[in-house]
Amino acid sequence: MTVSRRLFMAASVGTAVAASSASLAAAASRTPEAGRAVPAGPQPPYRIAISATDTPDEVVAKAARVRPTRRQVAWQRLERTAFLHFGVNTFTGLEWGTGDEDPDVFQPADLDTDQWARALRDGGFELAILTVKHHDGFVLYPSRHTKHSVASSSWRGGKGDVLRDFTASLRKYGLKVGVYVSPADENQYLHGVYANGSARSPRTVPTPVPGDDRPAADTFTLDATDYGAYMLNQLHEVLTEYGPVDEVWFDGAQGRIPPEKVERYDWDSWYALIRALAPDAVIAVRGPDVRWVGNEGGLAREDEWSVVPVKDSGNGSVDYALPYDAPDQGSRAALAKARAVAQYVQWWPAECDVSIRPGWFFHEDERPKSVEQLTDIWFRSVGRNAVLLLNIPPDKRGLLPDADVARLREFRQRIDAELPADLAAAPGARVVRHGGVVTVDLGREREADRVRLAEDVPRAGQQIESFVVEARSGDGTWTKVAGAGTVGASRVLVLAAPVRARHWRVRVTGARGRVRFGEVGLYRSEAG
């Protein structure tokens, strides 16, 4: 017997708050505030309401109380993740497809997703995201809800399934799985589904189709437009038929359509379905868990805050209160400025996306970035409290290009050489923590030219607004050798020149609340 399950959307961002069955209530209780069922007792909030009547100091005090969810902590610890743009654009040479491509153009004769997974693992990645559907609408698995997919290509006799191969290979090599399902869809626009002006109404998911081979099992009822329901059906397929998914990636692109024909995305329903089917998956970068840093160069701000002001821009969408590319998203000044429009201060950490090549899809005439370029990007993303999302596009063969595979290996080797061994963790070293001051005795004079810091964000949030790094000379004088603003989950400083000292300290000079360090590391780079 089919169990009809009705989700009611809260006014807050993407949270399912009630259900007509106990099983759904259990799934929906895994709100954005927790990665698993919420245990008894109060939980630190990942989002706190604010208003224009709050004083600037009150908003800062609320920001100091915000803590990440378990899923956000796990995601930030990955540090760098991989993106794989692959689809009909790989064969047409376009970056944004038209939606009317002949599916038979998709012919990756030598597809080897094991090769992808090995290269990514050897490059130091632990999670990879596949473009299951890009803006052209072509789907890399045999969906029941569109013919614009691999099933309409003669590749593998119409029996190919890139998503199946991808998920199997990633799990085989110990990597986590991410999926990108583009909200924009040129093909569905051409078929009169995308931006057709339909009203939101209750929709059953999964929607039965002729010849549907799925057993009559649990269904969901969610509010959606015609296209919103199409997306819900695709998300249901991806999240129920390919094993656990660890990240669902959305962007906010609209199709190339007349300005009067805008598809208002059903974010609340999409979020709720993901939470029910993949409760441990982070939803990025138009989602409640992860935000886009605001550029496609892979670069975080000099001071990148994980706690930022947000608003609901419609249908439960988590959106920036300040412009997405504002040079300051979370300082005291930014929080004060955002009070007039923001609804919450929220843990919304930054993801820095960039492609290893000039384009997002493979193009024969392009070459990968140099190790020096990638290393600079790493220091200005991972080293600035963000996660690096590096795109490596498979070629027309269905392989990662040899040059890119070699560059990934060289990149990992370079980062390993930049931070080879933590001198503060070496035998004989001693670390003393006292509030906002951490003193390190290396046991003897050692040279260091890299400093890596992290706050204990799961327990204490992000508090540091400024700090200095100091070394003590033989006469007992402390000399500043570096300084910066924010720390958060990861801050890496490169000293102007190696400094030789036995005693070092990190001293917080400005903070929102009680500081708790999670990591204080000193390194001597071995990079040439």
Side-chain angles (χ1 to χ4, degrees):
M1 180 175 106
T2 299
V3 179
S4 179
R5 305 197 291 182
R6 175 71 182 259
L7 294 182
F8 296 87
M9 299 303 121
S12 61
V13 184
T15 305
V17 295
S20 62
S21 73
S23 60
L24 180 57
S29 72
R30 297 180 175 109
T31 67
E33 285 77 8
R36 297 179 175 81
V38 179
Q43 298 298 299
Y46 99 114
R47 182 181 66 225
I48 298 176
I50 63 172
S51 73
T53 61
D54 288 334
T55 67
D57 286 345
E58 287 172 336
V59 176
V60 171
K62 288 181 177 181
R65 290 168 43 211
V66 173
R67 301 291 183 270
T69 66
R70 285 186 287 271
R71 65 170 71 87
Q72 289 173 317
V73 170
W75 175 83
Q76 286 190 270
R77 285 175 177 164
L78 294 173
E79 294 191 355
R80 51 186 159 176
T81 56
F83 219 168
L84 296 110
H85 276 64
F86 189 53
V88 288
N89 291 350
T90 306
F91 299 89
T92 63
L94 299 177
E95 283 288 304
W96 186 318
T98 57
D100 57 359
E101 297 88 355
D102 180 352
D104 206 44
V105 72
F106 186 79
Q107 295 288 340
D110 300 318
L111 180 75
D112 184 353
T113 53
D114 275 6
Q115 185 251 8
W116 302 1
R118 285 194 302 270
L120 296 176
R121 178 202 61 187
D122 295 346
F125 296 90
E126 296 181 46
L127 180 148
I129 302 168
L130 177 66
T131 54
V132 177
K133 184 186 75 167
H134 201 252
H135 308 327
D136 49 75
F138 184 80
V139 182
L140 294 182
Y141 71 95
S143 174
R144 300 169 181 82
H145 302 278
T146 180
K147 293 182 179 179
H148 202 52
S149 79
V150 290
S152 295
S153 168
S154 61
W155 173 64
R156 293 186 177 174
K159 302 298 183 182
D161 188 335
V162 179
L163 181 57
R164 180 77 61 197
D165 291 353
F166 173 76
T167 55
S169 293
L170 259 60
R171 296 188 182 105
K172 177 179 177 180
Y173 288 92
L175 279 69
K176 296 178 181 294
V177 171
V179 293
Y180 167 30
V181 183
S182 170
D185 195 313
E186 299 290 344
N187 181 261
Q188 290 301 302
Y189 176 67
L190 296 175
H191 283 83
V193 178
Y194 185 94
N196 66 4
S198 59
R200 277 165 57 100
S201 62
R203 311 293 179 119
T204 299
V205 180
T207 304
V209 297
D212 200 330
D213 58 353
R214 287 170 292 189
D218 292 349
T219 61
F220 299 89
T221 303
L222 302 112
D223 289 339
T225 64
D226 290 348
Y227 178 71
Y230 175 79
M231 278 285 290
L232 285 167
N233 276 300
Q234 288 194 325
L235 288 169
H236 189 278
E237 289 176 322
V238 170
L239 298 178
T240 59
E241 299 177 28
Y242 292 89
V245 170
D246 301 284
E247 182 167 348
V248 179
W249 203 94
F250 295 125
D251 58 19
Q254 285 282 336
R256 293 177 297 192
I257 56 180
E260 70 275 10
K261 288 193 173 184
V262 175
E263 175 68 39
R264 194 178 186 193
Y265 297 137
D266 296 311
W267 297 112
D268 49 4
S269 294
W270 299 352
Y271 294 165
L273 186 67
I274 295 166
R275 289 295 190 231
L277 298 178
D280 292 330
V282 295
I283 307 175
V285 294
R286 281 302 302 268
D289 300 315
V290 176
R291 67 180 162 91
W292 180 43
V293 75
N295 63 75
E296 294 185 342
L299 306 179
R301 297 162 181 82
E302 179 67 31
D303 291 316
E304 194 69 71
W305 286 94
S306 292
V307 181
V308 299
V310 302
K311 65 181 180 180
D312 180 344
S313 61
N315 291 349
S317 170
V318 180
D319 207 349
Y320 307 85
L322 299 172
Y324 69 85
D325 57 353
D328 179 4
Q329 283 284 350
S331 72
R332 288 174 183 259
L335 294 177
K337 182 178 180 180
R339 285 178 302 151
V341 295
Q343 294 167 296
Y344 306 96
V345 283
Q346 176 171 318
W347 196 275
W348 207 28
E351 180 179 77
C352 298
D353 60 332
V354 66
S355 185
I356 198 171
R357 291 167 172 252
W360 291 95
F361 287 89
F362 174 81
H363 304 286
E364 292 283 0
D365 59 346
E366 295 181 350
R367 296 293 178 267
K369 289 177 171 61
S370 68
V371 172
E372 288 70 25
Q373 288 175 301
L374 293 173
T375 302
D376 178 65
I377 289 170
W378 186 91
F379 275 106
R380 295 205 278 167
S381 56
V382 177
R384 292 181 178 175
N385 188 41
V387 169
L388 171 61
L389 175 59
L390 181 63
N391 179 63
I392 310 99
D395 61 22
K396 294 180 179 180
R397 301 171 299 170
L399 302 174
L400 297 186
D402 295 342
D404 299 41
V405 171
R407 192 56 39 82
L408 291 179
R409 185 170 56 251
E410 294 163 355
F411 177 38
R412 178 179 186 171
Q413 292 169 348
R414 174 63 176 269
I415 297 303
D416 289 346
E418 290 283 354
L419 303 171
D422 183 3
L423 303 177
R430 187 166 64 96
V431 179
V432 178
R433 303 168 187 262
H434 184 70
V437 179
V438 178
T439 304
V440 180
D441 179 354
L442 296 179
R444 62 183 176 87
E445 286 193 347
R446 305 285 297 272
E447 273 195 348
D449 58 4
R450 306 285 188 268
V451 181
R452 179 157 195 171
L453 307 173
E455 294 180 66
D456 185 355
V457 295
R459 288 187 284 186
Q462 186 178 5
Q463 308 294 345
I464 297 174
E465 296 174 303
S466 61
F467 68 95
V468 295
V469 179
E470 300 168 315
R472 195 173 78 182
S473 59
D475 63 3
T477 302
W478 288 100
T479 302
K480 177 182 174 181
V481 298
T486 56
V487 174
S490 176
R491 186 73 187 227
V492 184
L493 300 181
V494 177
L495 305 188
V499 174
R500 188 172 186 84
R502 172 176 173 172
H503 296 95
W504 298 71
R505 75 180 179 191
V506 177
R507 183 164 54 87
V508 175
T509 55
R512 292 177 173 175
R514 180 175 176 269
V515 172
R516 186 181 183 121
F517 277 99
E519 178 182 357
V520 175
L522 297 166
Y523 302 83
R524 178 63 168 96
S525 174
E526 296 175 354

